[in-house]
């Protein structure tokens, strides 16, 4: 049973466009929701994270939107650039479990010039 | 600050053989995690060390997998004997503490069992 469902599996966006990746979770005890970015041959790297006491968090061109009642959260990449092409993973955990993350299946983003 | 280092980066072995993966966490990080990603699926938690102690090994697939962290520094993950379904990318990650500090991942070891 997959506790965090991520969509789409792959995404192609034109340079300058908005990339949107969605995740849904089941466990209402989750209280920390990070997004990781992974380039080929590298490990995942923390991109941005949110806790459920806020509905939105923005860092530069990256924004997380969080809907607690719907148990959904999404990553928006504004003004997408070819350098953003990577695999993106959403994840969830309970704060007291720290690094024991439950990951989504990943989204391969390709930004075309 | 040196990152999390994993060795080897790739390993190709035959079914039934033994493979040992190594992870050197960031210096001073007491928490060390092993994760695995099987082709195209989600990254799955395997186990968590706090210093040399296994805190949580609920994600270990079966008793063919053995993880150790002697002295609380580097960790090894041994697969013996390897099966075809063990193929995937094995990631190690470390963090300073449980609450609030981010996970730092290594580049992974790609294991192929033929």
């Amino acid at each position: 049973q997959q506790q965090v469902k991520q969509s789409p599996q792959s995404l192609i966006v034109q340079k300058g466009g908005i990339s949107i990746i969605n995740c849904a979770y089941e466990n209402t005890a989750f209280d920390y929701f990070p997004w990781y970015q992974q380039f080929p041959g590298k490990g995942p790297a923390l991109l941005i994270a949110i806790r459920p006491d806020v509905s939105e968090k923005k860092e530069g061109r990256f924004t997380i939107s969080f809907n607690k009642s719907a148990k959904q959260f999404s990553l928006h990449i504004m003004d997408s650039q070819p350098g953003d092409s990577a695999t993106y993973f959403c994840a969830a955990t309970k704060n007291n479990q720290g690094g024991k993350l439950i990951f989504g299946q990943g989204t391969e983003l390709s930004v075309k010039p | 600050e040196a990152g999390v280092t994993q060795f080897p980066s790739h390993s190709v072995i035959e079914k039934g053989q033994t493979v040992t993966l190594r992870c050197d966490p960031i210096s001073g990080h007491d928490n060390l995690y092993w994760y695995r990603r099987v082709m195209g699926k989600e990254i799955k938690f395997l186990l968590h060390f706090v210093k040399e102690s296994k805190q949580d090994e609920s994600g270990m697939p079966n008793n063919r997998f053995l993880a150790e962290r002697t002295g609380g520094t580097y960790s090894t993950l041994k697969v013996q004997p390897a099966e075809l379904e063990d193929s995937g990318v094995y990631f190690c990650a470390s963090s300073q503490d449980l609450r609030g500090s981010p996970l730092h991942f290594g580049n992974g070891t790609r294991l192929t069992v033929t």
Side-chain angles (χ1 to χ4, degrees):
Chain A
Q1 184 187 16
Q2 198 177 340
Q3 293 192 58
V4 177
K5 294 183 180 179
Q6 183 173 345
S7 63
Q9 274 189 295
S10 63
L11 181 61
I12 299 174
V13 173
Q14 289 295 126
K15 178 183 175 182
I18 302 174
S19 303
I20 302 174
I21 304 170
N22 300 299
C23 284
Y25 64 97
E26 297 174 3
N27 190 341
T28 55
F30 289 150
D31 56 8
Y32 178 67
F33 302 88
W35 284 88
Y36 281 80
Q37 179 188 54
Q38 183 188 16
F39 293 106
K42 302 294 185 183
L46 179 64
L47 184 63
I48 186 172
I50 197 167
R51 298 191 187 279
D53 52 342
V54 296
S55 60
E56 185 175 282
K57 183 173 181 180
K58 183 176 181 179
E59 290 184 1
R61 296 184 294 109
F62 301 91
T63 300
I64 300 179
S65 296
F66 187 84
N67 186 328
K68 189 174 181 178
S69 60
K71 294 188 288 184
Q72 295 176 346
F73 58 111
S74 60
L75 176 69
H76 296 235
I77 306 175
M78 312 300 287
D79 187 26
S80 299
Q81 299 296 313
D84 297 330
S85 298
T87 300
Y88 292 81
F89 294 93
C90 63
T93 189
K94 305 173 199 176
N95 197 36
N96 63 357
Q97 292 191 331
K100 185 180 180 180
L101 298 173
I102 310 298
F103 282 91
Q105 285 191 295
T107 297
E108 284 191 38
L109 171 65
S110 177
V111 181
K112 299 297 185 186
Chain B
E1 169 182 86
V4 176
T5 305
Q6 292 188 244
F7 182 84
S9 56
H10 294 82
S11 180
V12 180
I13 61 171
E14 292 183 353
K15 177 182 171 181
Q17 289 186 321
T18 297
V19 64
T20 300
L21 314 181
R22 173 170 169 146
C23 169
D24 286 75
I26 292 173
S27 177
H29 282 194
D30 288 340
N31 294 279
L32 186 149
Y33 302 82
W34 284 97
Y35 283 84
R36 176 175 73 171
R37 189 183 192 205
V38 173
M39 176 79 77
K41 300 207 169 182
E42 69 270 28
I43 302 171
K44 277 195 171 180
F45 168 84
L46 296 179
L47 88 159
H48 170 208
F49 283 101
V50 177
K51 296 184 180 178
E52 68 275 9
S53 300
K54 290 178 186 174
Q55 185 76 12
D56 182 347
E57 51 184 331
S58 60
M60 294 289 263
N62 51 61
N63 59 10
R64 294 185 295 103
F65 289 75
L66 175 64
E68 295 180 323
R69 192 182 182 194
T70 308
T73 54
Y74 71 91
S75 175
T76 57
L77 180 64
K78 181 191 287 188
V79 185
Q80 179 182 29
E83 298 288 345
L84 298 178
E85 64 264 25
D86 300 333
S87 296
V89 182
Y90 290 77
F91 291 105
C92 175
S94 70
S95 69
Q96 252 183 332
D97 53 56
L98 281 181
R99 291 181 168 267
S101 58
L103 275 188
H104 298 265
F105 280 83
N107 289 337
T109 293
R110 181 173 294 278
L111 175 64
T112 303
V113 182
T114 63

